[in-house]
Amino acid sequence: MSGERLRRGLYRFRRSWVSVLGLVIVLALLVIAILGPAIVPHPDHVAGLVQTGARFQPPSAEWWFGTNEVGQDVFSLTLAGTRISLLAGMAVVLVGAGVGVLAGAIAGFFGGWVDEVLMRLSDLMLTVPSLILAMAVAAALGPGTGNMIFAIALSWWPGYARLVRGEVMAKKEEQFVTAARAMGAGPARLLRRHILPNIISPVIVKMSLDMGFAILTVASLGFVGIGVKPPTPEWGSLLSVARANMPDYWWTAIFPGLAIFLAVFGFNLLGDGLRDLLDPKARR
């Protein structure tokens, strides 16, 4: 991106208060995820300590988000769950984008039967709803963070593959690629040094927009009990346990739910801002 385009993009980003709000929310969540274990008021509750004498305490000065059915501080559990939910969502997007970019770049550059095989495979993956596929794979592999990330990423890569394939097919006909090929550059060098650096902007935009949906999918698997293993706090699993306490003890569910909403909302706003910054042709 040229300096002039970058300055214009930053100007548009700063002028959009919703994009700035999204950036603030995402930065705050990242700080909480990094500092979570050090700032929770009750780290022993995060580790699984049961305090039955304080069960179902409503929100107060002592218990900001109240306590759950075993007396654990909901505020501490929600803060600690930020790290798991955000890191798992980021891992899903990174793995899905990595596999999708590789598959799409190979399909778009070489074409022919390679393109047919990879694209038909992506079509096959897209015929099954991503959440249903992730639930099936996660249930087969068993609960666990790694299995959950793999299960979700398995349904995440086709979107990136199709995006990158189209971009590569357009870029490989450009004059700068033809010149590099004439100078003896091989396929790997053409992709790595000339084509992929010029199509990275839409990939970054898609990754930022996908983060919220990845966090929501992670929470969905945790909600149905095939995500992170307890007692590790995670927003979806916290909601799953708390649904039995509704509506009498509403605070056990409302605050983890608000955390999910805030994360999805923040990443979506940030993704819209990055689209204006990195991919102005896609602006509404």
Side-chain angles (χ1 to χ4, degrees), residues 143-172:
T145 306
N147 293 341
M148 175 186 63
I149 292 172
F150 173 78
I152 302 174
L154 188 64
S155 64
W156 219 264
W157 68 268
Y160 290 93
R162 288 192 161 276
L163 171 65
V164 172
R165 172 183 177 267
E167 295 288 338
V168 169
M169 291 180 68
K171 290 294 182 183
K172 74 176 183 179

PDB file of all heavy atoms in Angstrom, residues 143-172:
ATOM      1  N   PRO A 143     -13.603 -33.734  23.867  1.00  0.00           N
ATOM      2  CA  PRO A 143     -13.417 -32.362  24.341  1.00  0.00           C
ATOM      3  C   PRO A 143     -11.945 -32.020  24.496  1.00  0.00           C
ATOM      4  O   PRO A 143     -11.101 -32.878  24.714  1.00  0.00           O
ATOM      5  CB  PRO A 143     -14.137 -32.364  25.703  1.00  0.00           C
ATOM      6  CG  PRO A 143     -14.130 -33.789  26.146  1.00  0.00           C
ATOM      7  CD  PRO A 143     -14.219 -34.609  24.891  1.00  0.00           C
ATOM      8  N   GLY A 144     -11.645 -30.749  24.373  1.00  0.00           N
ATOM      9  CA  GLY A 144     -10.269 -30.281  24.482  1.00  0.00           C
ATOM     10  C   GLY A 144     -10.059 -29.070  23.592  1.00  0.00           C
ATOM     11  O   GLY A 144     -10.677 -28.960  22.522  1.00  0.00           O
ATOM     12  N   THR A 145      -9.178 -28.175  24.006  1.00  0.00           N
ATOM     13  CA  THR A 145      -8.966 -26.942  23.246  1.00  0.00           C
ATOM     14  C   THR A 145      -8.414 -27.224  21.855  1.00  0.00           C
ATOM     15  O   THR A 145      -8.876 -26.672  20.855  1.00  0.00           O
ATOM     16  CB  THR A 145      -8.011 -26.014  24.012  1.00  0.00           C
ATOM     17  OG1 THR A 145      -8.506 -25.796  25.336  1.00  0.00           O
ATOM     18  CG2 THR A 145      -7.880 -24.676  23.299  1.00  0.00           C
ATOM     19  N   GLY A 146      -7.397 -28.084  21.771  1.00  0.00           N
ATOM     20  CA  GLY A 146      -6.793 -28.393  20.474  1.00  0.00           C
ATOM     21  C   GLY A 146      -7.774 -29.038  19.518  1.00  0.00           C
ATOM     22  O   GLY A 146      -7.827 -28.681  18.329  1.00  0.00           O
ATOM     23  N   ASN A 147      -8.544 -30.010  20.022  1.00  0.00           N
ATOM     24  CA  ASN A 147      -9.541 -30.667  19.165  1.00  0.00           C
ATOM     25  C   ASN A 147     -10.609 -29.694  18.699  1.00  0.00           C
ATOM     26  O   ASN A 147     -11.070 -29.756  17.549  1.00  0.00           O
ATOM     27  CB  ASN A 147     -10.187 -31.828  19.915  1.00  0.00           C
ATOM     28  CG  ASN A 147      -9.223 -32.962  20.186  1.00  0.00           C
ATOM     29  OD1 ASN A 147      -8.174 -33.065  19.538  1.00  0.00           O
ATOM     30  ND2 ASN A 147      -9.548 -33.807  21.133  1.00  0.00           N
ATOM     31  N   MET A 148     -10.995 -28.782  19.588  1.00  0.00           N
ATOM     32  CA  MET A 148     -12.018 -27.798  19.227  1.00  0.00           C
ATOM     33  C   MET A 148     -11.502 -26.866  18.133  1.00  0.00           C
ATOM     34  O   MET A 148     -12.208 -26.576  17.160  1.00  0.00           O
ATOM     35  CB  MET A 148     -12.414 -26.992  20.466  1.00  0.00           C
ATOM     36  CG  MET A 148     -13.390 -25.866  20.200  1.00  0.00           C
ATOM     37  SD  MET A 148     -13.658 -24.853  21.676  1.00  0.00           S
ATOM     38  CE  MET A 148     -12.010 -24.190  21.921  1.00  0.00           C
ATOM     39  N   ILE A 149     -10.267 -26.395  18.269  1.00  0.00           N
ATOM     40  CA  ILE A 149      -9.686 -25.499  17.260  1.00  0.00           C
ATOM     41  C   ILE A 149      -9.589 -26.207  15.916  1.00  0.00           C
ATOM     42  O   ILE A 149      -9.932 -25.649  14.865  1.00  0.00           O
ATOM     43  CB  ILE A 149      -8.308 -24.999  17.732  1.00  0.00           C
ATOM     44  CG1 ILE A 149      -8.474 -24.067  18.934  1.00  0.00           C
ATOM     45  CG2 ILE A 149      -7.566 -24.293  16.596  1.00  0.00           C
ATOM     46  CD1 ILE A 149      -7.170 -23.684  19.590  1.00  0.00           C
ATOM     47  N   PHE A 150      -9.123 -27.456  15.926  1.00  0.00           N
ATOM     48  CA  PHE A 150      -9.009 -28.218  14.679  1.00  0.00           C
ATOM     49  C   PHE A 150     -10.374 -28.420  14.039  1.00  0.00           C
ATOM     50  O   PHE A 150     -10.528 -28.280  12.813  1.00  0.00           O
ATOM     51  CB  PHE A 150      -8.356 -29.574  14.958  1.00  0.00           C
ATOM     52  CG  PHE A 150      -8.348 -30.489  13.765  1.00  0.00           C
ATOM     53  CD1 PHE A 150      -7.425 -30.310  12.745  1.00  0.00           C
ATOM     54  CD2 PHE A 150      -9.260 -31.527  13.668  1.00  0.00           C
ATOM     55  CE1 PHE A 150      -7.424 -31.156  11.634  1.00  0.00           C
ATOM     56  CE2 PHE A 150      -9.267 -32.383  12.566  1.00  0.00           C
ATOM     57  CZ  PHE A 150      -8.339 -32.180  11.550  1.00  0.00           C
ATOM     58  N   ALA A 151     -11.380 -28.739  14.852  1.00  0.00           N
ATOM     59  CA  ALA A 151     -12.717 -29.002  14.317  1.00  0.00           C
ATOM     60  C   ALA A 151     -13.305 -27.763  13.657  1.00  0.00           C
ATOM     61  O   ALA A 151     -13.902 -27.836  12.571  1.00  0.00           O
ATOM     62  CB  ALA A 151     -13.631 -29.492  15.444  1.00  0.00           C
ATOM     63  N   ILE A 152     -13.139 -26.604  14.278  1.00  0.00           N
ATOM     64  CA  ILE A 152     -13.701 -25.381  13.702  1.00  0.00           C
ATOM     65  C   ILE A 152     -12.908 -24.953  12.475  1.00  0.00           C
ATOM     66  O   ILE A 152     -13.474 -24.561  11.451  1.00  0.00           O
ATOM     67  CB  ILE A 152     -13.737 -24.256  14.749  1.00  0.00           C
ATOM     68  CG1 ILE A 152     -14.569 -24.681  15.971  1.00  0.00           C
ATOM     69  CG2 ILE A 152     -14.328 -22.984  14.152  1.00  0.00           C
ATOM     70  CD1 ILE A 152     -14.542 -23.689  17.111  1.00  0.00           C
ATOM     71  N   ALA A 153     -11.567 -25.031  12.564  1.00  0.00           N
ATOM     72  CA  ALA A 153     -10.728 -24.613  11.434  1.00  0.00           C
ATOM     73  C   ALA A 153     -10.979 -25.474  10.208  1.00  0.00           C
ATOM     74  O   ALA A 153     -10.830 -25.009   9.071  1.00  0.00           O
ATOM     75  CB  ALA A 153      -9.256 -24.668  11.833  1.00  0.00           C
ATOM     76  N   LEU A 154     -11.370 -26.724  10.417  1.00  0.00           N
ATOM     77  CA  LEU A 154     -11.646 -27.621   9.296  1.00  0.00           C
ATOM     78  C   LEU A 154     -12.781 -27.096   8.429  1.00  0.00           C
ATOM     79  O   LEU A 154     -12.816 -27.337   7.218  1.00  0.00           O
ATOM     80  CB  LEU A 154     -11.990 -29.016   9.832  1.00  0.00           C
ATOM     81  CG  LEU A 154     -12.135 -30.134   8.798  1.00  0.00           C
ATOM     82  CD1 LEU A 154     -10.809 -30.372   8.095  1.00  0.00           C
ATOM     83  CD2 LEU A 154     -12.627 -31.421   9.462  1.00  0.00           C
ATOM     84  N   SER A 155     -13.705 -26.382   9.042  1.00  0.00           N
ATOM     85  CA  SER A 155     -14.828 -25.819   8.283  1.00  0.00           C
ATOM     86  C   SER A 155     -14.594 -24.362   7.898  1.00  0.00           C
ATOM     87  O   SER A 155     -15.458 -23.749   7.272  1.00  0.00           O
ATOM     88  CB  SER A 155     -16.112 -25.912   9.126  1.00  0.00           C
ATOM     89  OG  SER A 155     -16.002 -25.126  10.298  1.00  0.00           O
ATOM     90  N   TRP A 156     -13.422 -23.807   8.240  1.00  0.00           N
ATOM     91  CA  TRP A 156     -13.193 -22.380   8.071  1.00  0.00           C
ATOM     92  C   TRP A 156     -12.370 -22.061   6.812  1.00  0.00           C
ATOM     93  O   TRP A 156     -12.448 -20.956   6.292  1.00  0.00           O
ATOM     94  CB  TRP A 156     -12.465 -21.831   9.303  1.00  0.00           C
ATOM     95  CG  TRP A 156     -12.949 -20.476   9.721  1.00  0.00           C
ATOM     96  CD1 TRP A 156     -12.409 -19.272   9.405  1.00  0.00           C
ATOM     97  CD2 TRP A 156     -14.085 -20.179  10.548  1.00  0.00           C
ATOM     98  NE1 TRP A 156     -13.130 -18.246   9.968  1.00  0.00           N
ATOM     99  CE2 TRP A 156     -14.162 -18.780  10.685  1.00  0.00           C
ATOM    100  CE3 TRP A 156     -15.046 -20.966  11.190  1.00  0.00           C
ATOM    101  CZ2 TRP A 156     -15.151 -18.147  11.425  1.00  0.00           C
ATOM    102  CZ3 TRP A 156     -16.023 -20.346  11.930  1.00  0.00           C
ATOM    103  CH2 TRP A 156     -16.076 -18.961  12.044  1.00  0.00           C
ATOM    104  N   TRP A 157     -11.561 -23.011   6.344  1.00  0.00           N
ATOM    105  CA  TRP A 157     -10.603 -22.688   5.279  1.00  0.00           C
ATOM    106  C   TRP A 157     -11.213 -22.483   3.889  1.00  0.00           C
ATOM    107  O   TRP A 157     -10.632 -21.743   3.082  1.00  0.00           O
ATOM    108  CB  TRP A 157      -9.512 -23.757   5.203  1.00  0.00           C
ATOM    109  CG  TRP A 157      -9.986 -25.108   4.734  1.00  0.00           C
ATOM    110  CD1 TRP A 157     -10.411 -26.138   5.500  1.00  0.00           C
ATOM    111  CD2 TRP A 157     -10.058 -25.564   3.376  1.00  0.00           C
ATOM    112  NE1 TRP A 157     -10.762 -27.206   4.727  1.00  0.00           N
ATOM    113  CE2 TRP A 157     -10.549 -26.887   3.416  1.00  0.00           C
ATOM    114  CE3 TRP A 157      -9.755 -24.995   2.144  1.00  0.00           C
ATOM    115  CZ2 TRP A 157     -10.750 -27.641   2.257  1.00  0.00           C
ATOM    116  CZ3 TRP A 157      -9.958 -25.740   0.991  1.00  0.00           C
ATOM    117  CH2 TRP A 157     -10.444 -27.046   1.052  1.00  0.00           C
ATOM    118  N   PRO A 158     -12.360 -23.108   3.531  1.00  0.00           N
ATOM    119  CA  PRO A 158     -12.834 -22.931   2.152  1.00  0.00           C
ATOM    120  C   PRO A 158     -13.095 -21.484   1.755  1.00  0.00           C
ATOM    121  O   PRO A 158     -12.880 -21.100   0.591  1.00  0.00           O
ATOM    122  CB  PRO A 158     -14.119 -23.759   2.118  1.00  0.00           C
ATOM    123  CG  PRO A 158     -13.922 -24.806   3.160  1.00  0.00           C
ATOM    124  CD  PRO A 158     -13.189 -24.104   4.248  1.00  0.00           C
ATOM    125  N   GLY A 159     -13.571 -20.656   2.676  1.00  0.00           N
ATOM    126  CA  GLY A 159     -13.812 -19.252   2.347  1.00  0.00           C
ATOM    127  C   GLY A 159     -12.538 -18.531   1.943  1.00  0.00           C
ATOM    128  O   GLY A 159     -12.523 -17.739   0.986  1.00  0.00           O
ATOM    129  N   TYR A 160     -11.461 -18.790   2.660  1.00  0.00           N
ATOM    130  CA  TYR A 160     -10.174 -18.177   2.315  1.00  0.00           C
ATOM    131  C   TYR A 160      -9.640 -18.745   1.005  1.00  0.00           C
ATOM    132  O   TYR A 160      -9.028 -18.015   0.202  1.00  0.00           O
ATOM    133  CB  TYR A 160      -9.168 -18.412   3.435  1.00  0.00           C
ATOM    134  CG  TYR A 160      -9.482 -17.647   4.685  1.00  0.00           C
ATOM    135  CD1 TYR A 160     -10.235 -18.225   5.703  1.00  0.00           C
ATOM    136  CD2 TYR A 160      -9.047 -16.341   4.849  1.00  0.00           C
ATOM    137  CE1 TYR A 160     -10.540 -17.513   6.861  1.00  0.00           C
ATOM    138  CE2 TYR A 160      -9.344 -15.624   5.996  1.00  0.00           C
ATOM    139  CZ  TYR A 160     -10.092 -16.218   6.995  1.00  0.00           C
ATOM    140  OH  TYR A 160     -10.401 -15.510   8.128  1.00  0.00           O
ATOM    141  N   ALA A 161      -9.840 -20.035   0.776  1.00  0.00           N
ATOM    142  CA  ALA A 161      -9.359 -20.651  -0.456  1.00  0.00           C
ATOM    143  C   ALA A 161     -10.015 -20.012  -1.671  1.00  0.00           C
ATOM    144  O   ALA A 161      -9.348 -19.698  -2.670  1.00  0.00           O
ATOM    145  CB  ALA A 161      -9.625 -22.155  -0.428  1.00  0.00           C
ATOM    146  N   ARG A 162     -11.310 -19.795  -1.613  1.00  0.00           N
ATOM    147  CA  ARG A 162     -12.009 -19.192  -2.750  1.00  0.00           C
ATOM    148  C   ARG A 162     -11.588 -17.736  -2.952  1.00  0.00           C
ATOM    149  O   ARG A 162     -11.426 -17.273  -4.091  1.00  0.00           O
ATOM    150  CB  ARG A 162     -13.521 -19.275  -2.539  1.00  0.00           C
ATOM    151  CG  ARG A 162     -14.061 -20.683  -2.702  1.00  0.00           C
ATOM    152  CD  ARG A 162     -15.578 -20.689  -2.782  1.00  0.00           C
ATOM    153  NE  ARG A 162     -16.042 -21.935  -3.370  1.00  0.00           N
ATOM    154  CZ  ARG A 162     -16.119 -22.168  -4.661  1.00  0.00           C
ATOM    155  NH1 ARG A 162     -15.738 -21.238  -5.511  1.00  0.00           N
ATOM    156  NH2 ARG A 162     -16.552 -23.323  -5.122  1.00  0.00           N
ATOM    157  N   LEU A 163     -11.435 -17.000  -1.847  1.00  0.00           N
ATOM    158  CA  LEU A 163     -11.003 -15.607  -1.951  1.00  0.00           C
ATOM    159  C   LEU A 163      -9.621 -15.505  -2.585  1.00  0.00           C
ATOM    160  O   LEU A 163      -9.403 -14.730  -3.534  1.00  0.00           O
ATOM    161  CB  LEU A 163     -10.995 -14.969  -0.563  1.00  0.00           C
ATOM    162  CG  LEU A 163     -10.375 -13.574  -0.454  1.00  0.00           C
ATOM    163  CD1 LEU A 163     -11.187 -12.559  -1.243  1.00  0.00           C
ATOM    164  CD2 LEU A 163     -10.264 -13.153   1.013  1.00  0.00           C
ATOM    165  N   VAL A 164      -8.667 -16.287  -2.077  1.00  0.00           N
ATOM    166  CA  VAL A 164      -7.294 -16.208  -2.559  1.00  0.00           C
ATOM    167  C   VAL A 164      -7.189 -16.732  -3.990  1.00  0.00           C
ATOM    168  O   VAL A 164      -6.435 -16.194  -4.805  1.00  0.00           O
ATOM    169  CB  VAL A 164      -6.360 -16.989  -1.613  1.00  0.00           C
ATOM    170  CG1 VAL A 164      -4.958 -17.104  -2.190  1.00  0.00           C
ATOM    171  CG2 VAL A 164      -6.311 -16.303  -0.254  1.00  0.00           C
ATOM    172  N   ARG A 165      -7.934 -17.764  -4.321  1.00  0.00           N
ATOM    173  CA  ARG A 165      -7.905 -18.300  -5.685  1.00  0.00           C
ATOM    174  C   ARG A 165      -8.263 -17.218  -6.698  1.00  0.00           C
ATOM    175  O   ARG A 165      -7.587 -17.045  -7.726  1.00  0.00           O
ATOM    176  CB  ARG A 165      -8.869 -19.472  -5.812  1.00  0.00           C
ATOM    177  CG  ARG A 165      -9.061 -19.983  -7.243  1.00  0.00           C
ATOM    178  CD  ARG A 165     -10.084 -21.103  -7.259  1.00  0.00           C
ATOM    179  NE  ARG A 165     -10.344 -21.556  -8.624  1.00  0.00           N
ATOM    180  CZ  ARG A 165     -11.325 -21.098  -9.406  1.00  0.00           C
ATOM    181  NH1 ARG A 165     -12.151 -20.151  -8.942  1.00  0.00           N
ATOM    182  NH2 ARG A 165     -11.501 -21.575 -10.633  1.00  0.00           N
ATOM    183  N   GLY A 166      -9.342 -16.493  -6.449  1.00  0.00           N
ATOM    184  CA  GLY A 166      -9.745 -15.442  -7.374  1.00  0.00           C
ATOM    185  C   GLY A 166      -8.712 -14.331  -7.479  1.00  0.00           C
ATOM    186  O   GLY A 166      -8.428 -13.834  -8.578  1.00  0.00           O
ATOM    187  N   GLU A 167      -8.124 -13.947  -6.337  1.00  0.00           N
ATOM    188  CA  GLU A 167      -7.116 -12.895  -6.360  1.00  0.00           C
ATOM    189  C   GLU A 167      -5.865 -13.343  -7.102  1.00  0.00           C
ATOM    190  O   GLU A 167      -5.270 -12.578  -7.869  1.00  0.00           O
ATOM    191  CB  GLU A 167      -6.767 -12.492  -4.923  1.00  0.00           C
ATOM    192  CG  GLU A 167      -7.895 -11.847  -4.146  1.00  0.00           C
ATOM    193  CD  GLU A 167      -8.186 -10.438  -4.618  1.00  0.00           C
ATOM    194  OE1 GLU A 167      -7.291  -9.822  -5.229  1.00  0.00           O
ATOM    195  OE2 GLU A 167      -9.307  -9.956  -4.389  1.00  0.00           O
ATOM    196  N   VAL A 168      -5.442 -14.592  -6.877  1.00  0.00           N
ATOM    197  CA  VAL A 168      -4.243 -15.101  -7.541  1.00  0.00           C
ATOM    198  C   VAL A 168      -4.464 -15.204  -9.047  1.00  0.00           C
ATOM    199  O   VAL A 168      -3.570 -14.865  -9.847  1.00  0.00           O
ATOM    200  CB  VAL A 168      -3.828 -16.463  -6.948  1.00  0.00           C
ATOM    201  CG1 VAL A 168      -2.748 -17.138  -7.805  1.00  0.00           C
ATOM    202  CG2 VAL A 168      -3.328 -16.287  -5.523  1.00  0.00           C
ATOM    203  N   MET A 169      -5.620 -15.681  -9.459  1.00  0.00           N
ATOM    204  CA  MET A 169      -5.909 -15.796 -10.895  1.00  0.00           C
ATOM    205  C   MET A 169      -5.856 -14.434 -11.585  1.00  0.00           C
ATOM    206  O   MET A 169      -5.446 -14.337 -12.748  1.00  0.00           O
ATOM    207  CB  MET A 169      -7.288 -16.439 -11.098  1.00  0.00           C
ATOM    208  CG  MET A 169      -7.342 -17.905 -10.709  1.00  0.00           C
ATOM    209  SD  MET A 169      -8.970 -18.645 -10.956  1.00  0.00           S
ATOM    210  CE  MET A 169      -9.078 -18.636 -12.741  1.00  0.00           C
ATOM    211  N   ALA A 170      -6.255 -13.386 -10.875  1.00  0.00           N
ATOM    212  CA  ALA A 170      -6.191 -12.037 -11.460  1.00  0.00           C
ATOM    213  C   ALA A 170      -4.762 -11.511 -11.473  1.00  0.00           C
ATOM    214  O   ALA A 170      -4.309 -10.936 -12.470  1.00  0.00           O
ATOM    215  CB  ALA A 170      -7.109 -11.094 -10.690  1.00  0.00           C
ATOM    216  N   LYS A 171      -4.039 -11.724 -10.371  1.00  0.00           N
ATOM    217  CA  LYS A 171      -2.698 -11.157 -10.251  1.00  0.00           C
ATOM    218  C   LYS A 171      -1.670 -11.868 -11.130  1.00  0.00           C
ATOM    219  O   LYS A 171      -0.712 -11.241 -11.580  1.00  0.00           O
ATOM    220  CB  LYS A 171      -2.231 -11.208  -8.802  1.00  0.00           C
ATOM    221  CG  LYS A 171      -2.965 -10.265  -7.863  1.00  0.00           C
ATOM    222  CD  LYS A 171      -2.696  -8.809  -8.215  1.00  0.00           C
ATOM    223  CE  LYS A 171      -3.405  -7.876  -7.245  1.00  0.00           C
ATOM    224  NZ  LYS A 171      -3.216  -6.452  -7.618  1.00  0.00           N
ATOM    225  N   LYS A 172      -1.839 -13.154 -11.369  1.00  0.00           N
ATOM    226  CA  LYS A 172      -0.805 -13.877 -12.115  1.00  0.00           C
ATOM    227  C   LYS A 172      -0.721 -13.443 -13.570  1.00  0.00           C
ATOM    228  O   LYS A 172       0.246 -13.765 -14.261  1.00  0.00           O
ATOM    229  CB  LYS A 172      -1.039 -15.381 -12.031  1.00  0.00           C
ATOM    230  CG  LYS A 172      -2.191 -15.910 -12.861  1.00  0.00           C
ATOM    231  CD  LYS A 172      -2.267 -17.427 -12.768  1.00  0.00           C
ATOM    232  CE  LYS A 172      -3.374 -17.986 -13.659  1.00  0.00           C
ATOM    233  NZ  LYS A 172      -3.438 -19.458 -13.600  1.00  0.00           N
TER     234      LYS A 172
END
